Amino acid sequence: MVGDAVAITGLGLITGLGHDLETSWRGLLAGQNPVSLLPHLASQNLPSPFGVSLPEAAEELMAKAVSPRQKKQMTRSTALACTMADQALKDAGHL
């Protein structure tokens, strides 16, 4: 489909290592491990009580990228994806 091509040459990340590409990359290069015991999972008799929590800044970034009305219509995963897409567009110089 010739007229439908899209190319975004930027990156956006929110990980357990950081709230953006730079801090996530620095954490990765430093060998940081974001996996930890999550107490709320330990009490639920799951196969593994370990996981990764996102940084508190993730909520603030979502609030800037997604309006309250939009957020009500999305899952948290979708709101995070929209936030990271916003970061990728900024990284590419489109915003």
Side-chain angles (χ1 to χ4, degrees), residues 1-7:
M1 301 185 123
V2 176
D4 296 338
V6 174

Side-chain angles (χ1 to χ4, degrees), residues 33-39 41 48-53:
N33 181 358
V35 177
S36 64
L37 177 66
L38 301 177
L41 294 180
S48 176
F50 296 94
V52 175
S53 295

Side-chain angles (χ1 to χ4, degrees), residues 23-85:
T23 54
S24 294
W25 185 247
R26 268 194 314 240
L28 186 65
L29 292 177
Q32 294 176 350
N33 181 358
V35 177
S36 64
L37 177 66
L38 301 177
H40 65 281
L41 294 180
S43 63
Q44 295 184 11
N45 198 26
L46 296 171
S48 176
F50 296 94
V52 175
S53 295
L54 295 179
E56 291 180 20
E59 297 299 326
E60 296 170 24
L61 291 170
M62 277 195 296
K64 291 178 184 175
V66 180
S67 73
R69 181 173 181 226
Q70 290 172 322
K71 195 171 179 184
K72 288 180 184 178
Q73 300 169 344
M74 300 177 179
T75 64
R76 185 167 188 265
S77 296
T78 302
L80 282 167
C82 289
T83 304
M84 289 180 276

